[in-house]
Amino acid sequence: MNIRLFATGGTFDKDYDFINGRLYFKETQVPEMLELGRCSIAVDVRTLMMIDSLDMTADDREIIARNCSSCEEDRIVVTHGTDTMVQTAKLIGQADVEGKTIVLTGAMIPYRFGSSDGFFNLGSALAFAQLLPPGVYIAMNGRFFDWNNCQKNRQTGMFEELKK
Amino acid sequence: MNIRLFATGGTFDKDYDFINGRLYFKETQVPEMLELGRCSIAVDVRTLMMIDSLDMTADDREIIARNCSSCEEDRIVVTHGTDTMVQTAKLIGQADVEGKTIVLTGAMIPYRFGSSDGFFNLGSALAFAQLLPPGVYIAMNGRFFDWNNCQKNRQTGMFEELKK
Amino acid sequence: MNIRLFATGGTFDKDYDFINGRLYFKETQVPEMLELGRCSIAVDVRTLMMIDSLDMTADDREIIARNCSSCEEDRIVVTHGTDTMVQTAKLIGQADVEGKTIVLTGAMIPYRFGSSDGFFNLGSALAFAQLLPPGVYIAMNGRFFDWNNCQKNRQTGMFEELKK
Amino acid sequence: MNIRLFATGGTFDKDYDFINGRLYFKETQVPEMLELGRCSIAVDVRTLMMIDSLDMTADDREIIARNCSSCEEDRIVVTHGTDTMVQTAKLIGQADVEGKTIVLTGAMIPYRFGSSDGFFNLGSALAFAQLLPPGVYIAMNGRFFDWNNCQKNRQTGMFEELKK
């Protein structure tokens, strides 16, 4: 099974710039994570952008949706900042991605910090992408959510269903 | 969804004993990992044993199979040493676990070492346990394998199908 | 030998706030680092402030100098942001700290990031504080510098002597 | 100032062999540690052997003493297993190393484990080597000990003076 992974940035890929003391993006750390996870699935990683999801424009989301629609693979993982992950999931959910399983995932703590949830989330997102029926999903906190039934709780940083 | 997790030891949970310079088992690190992964699924962790899977006896495997059979949950993850994981999967596969989805997982590098595959595997194992139909599986290297079609390649440390 | 350690913040003690995605200060991580280093010297840790050294006012520096002057111990380590460490060292160097050995140290990468220089610097600063004659010093990059012959190279992030 | 560093192995440099699940030696991690510590002193690292200090023979210790005696530098750090560090220090202390400052250091936890004391010890050993008068010393737990007044407490794993 081939999986396409689109990296877009987010906390997942934030690194520390020791010259100016700020968090920034260098390049995606997903390939290193796949190696560390000793992953043997064929995952084709492409970086679409490396930005904070709060800085994402409508055009940026359009690019992500278009790439999901046009790529060959029908199993796709998108790494994404958590702040507007639901918004991007919605846009993809309304795009022409019929027959494809698309899973967005991210992290609350940068991978470069020793203790990130991103590595755990990447493992679960790849598993969900292999098994879920066609549709657009968010994989966070060990769970998956339908794109149209999910929100980030800004107090706790956890994802939850809209109605329980 | 409730998941039962049985910890049995293995490289996953090996710690370093600084007094005698040996690897040993203290207690399972799964709860810490679930917290770090910010996991919000209800995972009920029980330690059945804390041993190297090379030291596992037929009785030990019997205990694992019996617990899988008798526990309430029908979604189960077992953390296990990789060396005899396939053997234990076989025994569970032949036990009375009808209607249950049971996923064995482990690690090639101890979690206590900064760079373990175990955290990634735990994320994928929990995802597989939520979606796979009833049966006994092994989750390693980002993939899942059927209990009766899997082996560990001792040269590479990777899991693979018996026939490709 | 008793050593007094004053924590003032700096990159050394920056943590990641997963709710708003920013670096911030919670509390000093020096006690945890001393434990990890299995340090058996008596180090009395006091937090004077928890701030970025770019935000340090003349009053803040005054507080640090006064505490160095008034504390009982004559072996002192100050953890401090690197950006204005030299400035604070100068102020202490001109204060009434006769007979005291005072060593300022810090980090270019936060300790919470898995790969920080801070832990290495703390080990060297404590060693320098035990052996250097009375005076005010900066300990960075495995070396010590006199307070009046040191600058931070802002291109490389390394400390160096004024004249070579 | 030039420092010579002789690596001999010990817990400091133990790595995890994921194929057979044992701790082993690959090559010294000291150069990586010096880089991580952003060390700007000229440290010339040479590996003399990569062994557990419990396996060290009289010949091995002889090699270490001879190298300390014959090398150009008169500031030397030796990384060494803790179990027989005192024995080797004694042998060097009785060898012809007049005018040289020699500091042995090590770790209770392997550096490859995320949380090692080795990085802290290396920082302090390099500092002690720069300042201590000629002699043979052990640097552990943030302190230095004279070679003839030191023992490892096997219950606690801490180094201490013979008589207090």
Side-chain angles (χ1 to χ4, degrees):
Chain A
M1 181 178 301
N2 288 351
I3 294 182
R4 169 65 61 101
L5 188 148
F6 291 123
T8 73
T11 294
F12 211 82
D13 270 331
K14 271 183 189 161
D15 209 334
Y16 185 79
D17 182 342
F18 67 80
I19 292 298
N20 65 23
R22 299 225 187 81
L23 296 164
Y24 79 123
F25 297 102
K26 206 165 44 180
E27 50 184 341
T28 180
Q29 289 151 37
V30 169
E32 183 184 323
M33 293 163 83
L34 292 173
E35 197 182 355
L36 197 65
R38 305 175 58 77
C39 184
S40 65
I41 323 170
V43 181
D44 188 351
V45 179
R46 303 282 172 93
T47 300
L48 297 184
M49 58 202 74
M50 264 295 120
I51 60 177
D52 194 306
S53 80
L54 288 172
D55 299 331
M56 219 176 243
T57 64
D59 279 357
D60 291 328
R61 280 183 238 283
E62 197 52 56
I63 289 171
I64 300 172
R66 206 151 1 132
N67 274 278
C68 289
S69 166
S70 66
C71 75
E72 270 182 23
E73 294 87 349
D74 50 15
R75 305 267 169 193
I76 301 171
V77 169
V78 179
T79 61
H80 195 288
T82 58
D83 282 317
T84 69
M85 188 185 282
V86 172
Q87 256 177 272
T88 302
K90 265 182 195 147
L91 190 81
I92 304 176
Q94 290 155 359
D96 176 24
V97 290
E98 213 181 326
K100 296 197 171 192
T101 298
I102 300 170
V103 179
L104 290 85
T105 194
M108 290 302 290
I109 314 265
Y111 173 65
R112 276 282 169 248
F113 264 84
S115 56
S116 168
D117 51 340
F119 196 38
F120 177 83
N121 289 343
L122 183 62
S124 70
L126 287 168
F128 286 133
Q130 290 171 65
L131 292 180
L132 283 167
V136 179
Y137 308 90
I138 280 175
M140 288 291 292
N141 308 309
R143 308 172 53 188
F144 69 93
F145 302 86
D146 289 319
W147 67 271
N148 57 4
N149 187 22
C150 178
Q151 64 186 1
K152 177 178 169 185
N153 181 322
R154 290 184 198 284
Q155 267 69 56
T156 62
M158 306 296 277
F159 281 72
E160 52 194 28
E161 294 173 6
L162 294 184
K163 49 208 161 212
K164 298 200 186 183
Chain B
M1 183 179 299
N2 288 352
I3 294 182
R4 169 64 62 103
L5 189 149
F6 292 122
T8 73
T11 294
F12 211 83
D13 270 331
K14 272 183 187 160
D15 209 334
Y16 185 79
D17 182 342
F18 67 82
I19 293 299
N20 66 22
R22 299 224 188 82
L23 295 164
Y24 78 122
F25 298 102
K26 206 164 44 179
E27 51 182 341
T28 181
Q29 289 150 38
V30 169
E32 183 184 322
M33 294 164 83
L34 293 173
E35 197 182 356
L36 197 65
R38 306 175 58 76
C39 184
S40 65
I41 322 169
V43 181
D44 188 350
V45 179
R46 303 283 171 94
T47 300
L48 297 183
M49 57 203 74
M50 265 294 120
I51 61 176
D52 195 308
S53 79
L54 289 172
D55 299 332
M56 218 177 244
T57 64
D59 279 357
D60 292 327
R61 281 184 237 284
E62 198 51 59
I63 288 171
I64 300 172
R66 204 150 5 131
N67 274 278
C68 288
S69 164
S70 66
C71 76
E72 271 181 22
E73 294 85 352
D74 50 15
R75 305 267 169 193
I76 301 170
V77 170
V78 180
T79 61
H80 195 288
T82 58
D83 283 316
T84 69
M85 190 185 284
V86 172
Q87 255 177 272
T88 303
K90 266 183 195 148
L91 191 82
I92 304 177
Q94 291 156 357
D96 176 26
V97 290
E98 214 181 326
K100 297 197 171 193
T101 298
I102 300 170
V103 179
L104 290 86
T105 195
M108 290 303 289
I109 313 264
Y111 173 67
R112 276 281 169 247
F113 264 83
S115 57
S116 168
D117 52 339
F119 195 38
F120 176 82
N121 289 342
L122 183 61
S124 69
L126 287 169
F128 287 133
Q130 290 171 64
L131 292 179
L132 283 167
V136 179
Y137 308 89
I138 279 176
M140 288 292 290
N141 309 307
R143 306 172 54 190
F144 69 92
F145 301 87
D146 287 319
W147 67 270
N148 57 2
N149 187 21
C150 178
Q151 64 187 0
K152 177 179 169 183
N153 181 322
R154 289 184 199 283
Q155 267 69 53
T156 62
M158 307 295 278
F159 281 72
E160 51 194 29
E161 293 173 8
L162 295 183
K163 48 210 164 213
K164 297 197 188 187
Chain C
M1 182 179 299
N2 288 352
I3 294 182
R4 169 64 60 103
L5 189 148
F6 291 122
T8 73
T11 294
F12 210 83
D13 270 330
K14 272 183 188 160
D15 210 333
Y16 185 78
D17 181 342
F18 68 80
I19 292 298
N20 66 21
R22 299 223 188 80
L23 296 164
Y24 79 123
F25 298 101
K26 205 164 46 180
E27 51 184 339
T28 181
Q29 288 150 38
V30 169
E32 182 184 323
M33 293 164 82
L34 293 173
E35 196 183 356
L36 197 64
R38 306 175 58 77
C39 184
S40 66
I41 322 170
V43 181
D44 188 351
V45 179
R46 302 283 172 94
T47 300
L48 298 183
M49 57 204 73
M50 265 295 120
I51 61 177
D52 195 307
S53 80
L54 289 172
D55 299 331
M56 219 177 244
T57 64
D59 279 357
D60 291 329
R61 280 184 237 283
E62 199 52 57
I63 289 171
I64 300 172
R66 205 150 4 129
N67 274 278
C68 287
S69 165
S70 66
C71 76
E72 272 182 22
E73 294 86 349
D74 50 16
R75 306 265 168 193
I76 301 170
V77 170
V78 180
T79 60
H80 195 287
T82 58
D83 282 316
T84 69
M85 190 185 283
V86 172
Q87 253 177 274
T88 303
K90 266 183 195 145
L91 191 82
I92 304 177
Q94 291 156 357
D96 176 25
V97 290
E98 215 181 326
K100 296 197 171 191
T101 298
I102 300 169
V103 179
L104 290 86
T105 195
M108 290 302 289
I109 312 264
Y111 173 66
R112 275 283 169 248
F113 263 84
S115 57
S116 168
D117 51 339
F119 195 39
F120 178 82
N121 289 342
L122 184 61
S124 70
L126 287 169
F128 287 133
Q130 289 172 64
L131 291 179
L132 283 167
V136 178
Y137 309 89
I138 279 176
M140 288 292 291
N141 308 307
R143 307 172 54 191
F144 69 93
F145 302 88
D146 288 319
W147 66 271
N148 57 3
N149 187 22
C150 178
Q151 63 186 2
K152 177 178 169 184
N153 181 321
R154 288 183 201 283
Q155 267 68 55
T156 62
M158 307 295 278
F159 281 72
E160 52 195 28
E161 294 174 7
L162 295 184
K163 49 211 161 216
K164 299 199 186 183
Chain D
M1 182 179 300
N2 288 350
I3 294 182
R4 170 64 61 102
L5 189 148
F6 291 123
T8 73
T11 294
F12 212 81
D13 270 331
K14 271 184 189 159
D15 209 335
Y16 185 79
D17 182 342
F18 67 81
I19 292 299
N20 65 22
R22 299 223 188 83
L23 295 164
Y24 79 123
F25 297 102
K26 205 164 45 179
E27 51 183 340
T28 180
Q29 289 150 36
V30 169
E32 181 184 324
M33 293 164 81
L34 292 173
E35 196 182 355
L36 196 65
R38 306 175 58 77
C39 184
S40 66
I41 323 170
V43 181
D44 188 351
V45 179
R46 303 282 172 94
T47 300
L48 297 183
M49 57 203 74
M50 264 296 119
I51 60 177
D52 194 308
S53 81
L54 288 171
D55 299 331
M56 218 177 243
T57 64
D59 279 356
D60 292 328
R61 281 183 237 282
E62 198 52 56
I63 289 171
I64 300 172
R66 205 148 6 127
N67 274 278
C68 288
S69 166
S70 66
C71 75
E72 271 182 23
E73 294 86 350
D74 50 14
R75 305 267 169 191
I76 301 170
V77 169
V78 180
T79 59
H80 195 288
T82 58
D83 282 316
T84 70
M85 189 185 284
V86 172
Q87 256 178 272
T88 303
K90 266 182 195 147
L91 190 81
I92 304 176
Q94 291 155 357
D96 175 25
V97 291
E98 214 180 325
K100 296 198 171 192
T101 299
I102 300 169
V103 179
L104 290 86
T105 194
M108 291 303 290
I109 313 265
Y111 173 65
R112 276 282 170 248
F113 263 83
S115 56
S116 168
D117 51 340
F119 195 38
F120 177 83
N121 290 342
L122 183 61
S124 70
L126 288 168
F128 286 133
Q130 290 172 63
L131 292 179
L132 283 167
V136 178
Y137 308 89
I138 279 175
M140 287 291 292
N141 310 308
R143 307 172 53 188
F144 69 93
F145 302 87
D146 289 319
W147 67 270
N148 57 3
N149 187 21
C150 178
Q151 65 186 359
K152 178 179 169 185
N153 181 321
R154 288 181 201 286
Q155 266 69 54
T156 63
M158 307 296 278
F159 281 72
E160 52 193 28
E161 295 174 6
L162 295 184
K163 48 208 164 222
K164 300 201 184 182

